[in-house]
Amino acid sequence: MHKPLHKMDLNLLVILQILLQERSVTLTAKWLSISPSAVSKALAKLRAWFDDPLFLRSPQGLIPTPLTLSIEGSLSDFINISHHITGKSNIDIPHGVRFHLVMESPLHQVMLPQFPQQILSYYPESTLQIRNWEYNSLAGIIDGDVDIGLVGREYYPRSKELLDLLPDVIDYEVLFSDTPLVYVHKNHPLLKGTWDLDTFLRYPHVSTEYDKRSHWALDDVLSEHGRLRNIVVTYTSFEQSLFMVAQSGHSLITCAPGYCLHYVRKVLPDLITLPIPLPTAISKQLDLPFIQLWHKRHSHNAKILWLRETIKNSVNKIVKQSD
């Protein structure tokens, strides 16, 4: 016999959906900002309503029963429709929202110059923390401590930073693809000779560390051909590396994403760029996809949806201006 829907607390279905996503009472509680005890009590009510255990415990987390799996699709549709309906109502934008973002620098300065003002304007009395992307930033997104990230990855097939190697719990969107460049001082001695791979490797390099690694796809490609860069200085941000190379009286060079050219033109006018001197078929492997990424638990979160759309629109605007 069908049970009347009005007798059910529909908030329980939201908890059920998150349990399906997270397969963990603890992670569901963290996502919903409630206690694990509250989630356990909700699960007990759901089990009584459906007359089914719904989830079985295992070392890998909660395993959905056949009944739970059979309603997963319908449940997702129901939640989406609910979001759509409530989004049509005249509800004020929430006040006092907290934002925690991690973004590659100077990517967010170049691509999102008005981003903080947009957030603070749209979400009154909100607080915003933007931190540079670091080796543990991905873990912060997975743990729920970070709302959204903005960073470059790699297309190189043997890279450890391939898009396909992102954890399954992470969703992402490619915002644009970038071709890295060589940055040198306008009076650098290499500019007097032929620009080729031998010249590129003859001079000492400044490298930028990524996830505690000073090497990237370029070094892997060079290694395949028995060549390597002479890295003598390593920094943790592109700004530091570019600032170092922009000083006069040295023979250092550095590689950085092409988008840094916007930053250089405004801040470090003594720098010029050169292409990485490799055949096109090889150099294309060095192109970088820049992505925004978030946890799948936030797929229908109104705040994250707004952030994603705002970031995408802002980046598209800058990219179109550069074309």
Side-chain angles (χ1 to χ4, degrees):
M1 184 177 68
H2 292 292
K3 299 178 181 179
L5 185 61
H6 70 272
K7 290 189 176 182
M8 182 185 197
D9 181 356
L10 297 183
N11 289 318
L12 296 176
L13 296 180
V14 176
I15 295 175
L16 178 58
Q17 186 193 39
I18 306 306
L19 281 167
L20 272 162
Q21 292 177 4
E22 301 297 336
R23 309 296 170 91
S24 164
V25 169
T26 301
L27 292 178
T28 297
K30 188 171 186 178
W31 195 96
L32 294 169
S33 298
I34 59 178
S35 69
S37 174
V39 175
S40 295
K41 291 178 181 177
L43 181 54
K45 292 179 180 178
L46 286 163
R47 283 169 167 163
W49 176 272
F50 287 103
D51 192 22
D52 187 88
L54 298 180
F55 295 93
L56 303 176
R57 297 189 182 277
S58 78
Q60 291 74 40
L62 298 177
I63 298 177
T65 65
L67 174 63
T68 309
L69 292 175
S70 72
I71 65 174
E72 183 174 11
S74 299
L75 178 62
S76 179
D77 291 341
F78 177 81
I79 298 297
N80 287 338
I81 292 171
S82 299
H83 281 300
H84 178 74
I85 293 173
T86 56
K88 295 296 184 181
S89 61
N90 185 22
I91 300 175
D92 291 336
I93 299 297
H95 286 57
V97 179
R98 298 177 63 183
F99 293 86
H100 186 181
L101 313 172
V102 289
M103 299 187 170
E104 179 178 302
S105 181
L107 177 60
H108 66 277
Q109 294 101 310
V110 171
M111 294 293 178
L112 303 168
Q114 306 300 322
F115 190 49
Q117 294 95 316
Q118 288 175 298
I119 293 177
L120 297 174
S121 175
Y122 191 81
Y123 285 90
E125 301 174 22
S126 59
T127 57
L128 171 62
Q129 182 183 62
I130 298 179
R131 304 182 68 178
N132 287 344
W133 184 275
E134 300 174 339
Y135 72 94
N136 59 350
S137 294
L138 187 58
I141 296 175
I142 294 172
D143 292 341
D145 299 325
V146 175
D147 295 318
I148 204 164
L150 187 64
V151 71
R153 299 289 287 190
E154 292 181 349
Y155 286 126
Y156 178 64
R158 285 174 284 282
S159 171
K160 294 181 180 179
E161 305 301 330
L162 276 174
L163 294 175
D164 291 345
L165 296 181
L166 286 169
D168 290 339
V169 296
I170 294 295
D171 270 342
Y172 69 87
E173 178 179 19
V174 176
L175 298 172
F176 67 100
S177 291
D178 181 279
T179 299
L181 299 170
V182 181
Y183 293 79
V184 302
H185 191 277
K186 64 182 180 181
N187 296 325
H188 198 289
L190 68 76
L191 297 173
K192 298 178 182 179
T194 302
W195 181 237
D196 56 21
L197 185 59
D198 288 334
T199 302
F200 175 66
L201 297 178
R202 185 180 307 131
Y203 291 92
H205 284 241
V206 177
S207 185
T208 304
E209 187 177 89
Y210 179 83
D211 276 2
K212 292 192 171 182
R213 296 186 301 113
S214 59
H215 289 67
W216 59 291
L218 170 63
D219 299 288
D220 295 329
V221 168
L222 291 173
S223 177
E224 290 178 0
H225 294 82
R227 310 295 294 271
L228 73 161
R229 294 189 296 160
N230 177 26
I231 298 174
V232 297
V233 181
T234 301
Y235 286 109
T236 57
S237 75
F238 291 118
E239 292 102 316
Q240 292 170 313
S241 297
L242 293 166
F243 178 81
M244 177 68 252
V245 174
Q247 308 311 302
S248 60
H250 63 79
S251 59
L252 296 166
I253 66 177
T254 193
C255 295
Y259 77 78
C260 289
L261 185 57
H262 299 278
Y263 172 80
V264 162
R265 285 172 176 168
K266 291 182 179 180
V267 182
L268 303 169
D270 286 340
L271 286 182
I272 64 172
T273 62
L274 295 166
I276 296 176
L278 288 169
T280 302
I282 297 177
S283 63
K284 289 300 293 181
Q285 297 182 59
L286 304 181
D287 284 356
L288 306 169
F290 282 89
I291 63 174
Q292 56 175 333
L293 61 165
W294 60 93
H295 197 289
K296 286 183 177 178
R297 71 168 72 95
H298 294 319
S299 295
H300 305 293
N301 181 294
K303 180 179 79 170
I304 304 303
L305 289 171
W306 182 86
L307 284 173
R308 287 166 50 192
E309 194 64 21
T310 303
I311 290 172
K312 182 170 65 176
N313 290 339
S314 298
V315 170
N316 285 344
K317 183 177 179 181
I318 297 297
V319 170
K320 287 180 180 179
Q321 290 175 353
S322 303
D323 291 342

